[in-house]
Amino acid sequence: MQTQFDTTMRSRPRYGVLEPRPGLAHLIVADGEGGEAVLALFAQAPELLETARVIYMPGANGTDMTAELEAVKPAQFSRVPSYAAGRQRIVKVLGDAHMGLQVYVTGTEGLMGQVQRDAMEAGLPHDAVQTEHRGSLVRRVQCVHCKGITEHVRTDPFQCGHCGLNLFVRDHYSRRLAAFQGVCVDAEDPGEVPPAVERFK
Amino acid sequence: MSLDDYFHDETYFGDFTYRNSPQAIKRFPFPFPEDDYMYSVNMEPHVPGRKGSVFEHAFDVDEHYVAQMRDRARVLAEDPLRCQSLPHMTLAGWDLLELIMESFARDYPQWFELHKDGNRWHWINRPLGIDDKFTFLDESTLPYGPMEYITRQAQGDFTLQDQRNDNLWIEAGMVTTQADWSVDFDIGMNFHEWHAPVPLAREMGVFDRALKFLLQLQHGAPVRRFNWTMTVDPLLDTSPENYHKWGPSKTTMTRETIGRRQHLRVELQTLFRLPRSNAIAFPIRCYMISFQDLVTQPKWARRLHRVIRDLPEELATYKGFLRNRPLMVEYLSQFDDGKPTSPGWWPEDE
């Protein structure tokens, strides 16, 4: 089922529900529970299967729908272990795109943000990419101090995976970086780090 | 008076030797026209103001010019990401260069000269010892991109906003004197996105009204407004990037040191429509005054006490001084005799 967000945040993108659109080619990227939205899309428009290129990666929480997706037999199916691993393939499809490419992304926010960013860099307008949030609310966060990005952040505060500072997650989102902003939580009182709370499940 | 006598040799970092002269205190842009404060769009035409005031000219070049340009160079050497320009913003950078050079040369002919022979320009900046010949609109003839070149010679931060899809997109900026925001993070955002962390204002409709107003901004009719916050020690570079380094300074202020260390930080924000690119230039000029200097003006002392005492908690938190508010109120209360204050911010009007 679609993810429910409890608050609206000004700089956070709004996500919709994938709907089939006419097109010469269809690039579909999904992670984890996003596989369910892909199956729902194909159920609605089985003709997409003939030209669909699906790139899928398991969720950080272990959800892996590879078997279900392969079973419906899209024209091309690739399973990749992570976005970083699959990025070259995705960028190639976006770069080779002719008029009429439809792009669908579903799953976690970090995945959707990165595909939108890469699509924009390839010259597609950011609203040319359809999105649907599914599964985990873990965040992709950039440390404002060292600029390193930590994937799959579940708690607030958390420790930067690069410089080791303790960061709180600001509700401030950059589409260009596809990341939220992390800011040192104990800057004024070094060492006084509040207990981590699981805010992003 | 020689250049060396007028321009201070002072620092905004380390030993913090920054000081305002008695004349600079008198002309400080005190931002509160009334005894209380709430967000508002509060924009007015940026027309020449009183002689000697910070509004006298389009761009104010003051006694801190040389030292502030040195501080900018220091910050950029440490973190070049503080100056960024997306590729399509170069023309807006030239627009900004032209605006600043023409304004400086017109308003401060004793310090700056601009000579034009078609697109061949000759720029002389005496305080910084710069004498450059270049071809206008040809980037290869300058040592930096046009925005970086000119904003290394102009006080205050600068951002350039592209206008499209009925929105403004912050797509270039020189930001080394900021009140805790990151141009590296915000670049590429639209107007609502980059203001997302500001509390209360959205619910009040401030951003929708401000955006609507700015989309209509005309070339030749710049506007201005104030913003303000508080800074411990005259640190110009209160960046989020370095927050873990300067954050602890907030905890070490005492009753004995607050007058000297606590500074009211005022941003004079101006907005100019640029002629070729149709972008908007947004200079954000930072002025700082220590509490002990500020209270030498009785009206300002009374009013600042009332504003700080009565400010909503969300705003004190957002502006980052909730922790020190009791200390500030205690200090300022000594200078508030409860008398009424006259409207407007000029100190001499009472």
Side-chain angles (χ1 to χ4, degrees), chain A residues 8 10-11 142 144-145 147 165 170-177 179-181 183-184 187-190, chain B residues 81 169 182 184-189 192-194 196-197 202 208 240-241 243-244 247-248 250-251 323:
Chain A
T8 49
R10 245 353 223 202
S11 62
Q142 189 202 39
V144 75
H145 310 288
K147 308 293 182 186
L165 285 176
R170 228 174 177 185
D171 276 346
H172 196 24
Y173 182 81
S174 160
R175 275 182 291 102
R176 191 181 65 94
L177 299 167
F180 288 86
Q181 188 175 57
V183 180
C184 185
E188 296 182 21
D189 304 282
Chain B
L81 294 176
W169 304 81
S182 167
D184 179 54
F185 191 80
D186 287 5
I187 195 167
M189 291 188 186
H192 292 298
E193 289 171 341
W194 88 71
R202 175 171 68 87
D208 290 331
E241 277 82 356
Y243 177 44
H244 56 306
K250 291 187 193 176
T251 65
R323 165 202 296 272

Side-chain angles (χ1 to χ4, degrees), chain A residues 27-93:
Chain A
L27 171 64
I28 301 169
V29 186
D31 70 356
E33 287 84 356
E36 292 164 7
V38 177
L39 293 175
L41 180 71
F42 287 144
Q44 217 184 325
E47 67 278 8
L48 292 188
L49 284 164
E50 292 163 28
T51 54
R53 159 130 213 192
V54 179
I55 297 176
Y56 179 76
M57 58 217 77
N61 56 4
T63 303
D64 187 348
M65 296 182 61
T66 302
E68 291 97 315
L69 289 165
E70 274 184 317
V72 300
K73 295 191 170 33
Q76 282 183 283
F77 179 85
S78 314
R79 179 190 187 277
V80 295
S82 66
Y83 190 79
R87 188 174 177 201
Q88 300 284 66
R89 296 168 192 278
I90 292 163
V91 168
K92 178 158 196 316
V93 177

Side-chain angles (χ1 to χ4, degrees), chain A residues 121-143:
Chain A
E121 280 179 16
L124 280 75
H126 77 89
D127 52 4
V129 178
Q130 286 193 60
T131 53
E132 179 170 342
H133 195 287
R134 292 280 185 136
S136 166
L137 286 168
V138 291
R139 288 185 174 183
R140 186 176 141 84
V141 183
Q142 189 202 39
C143 172

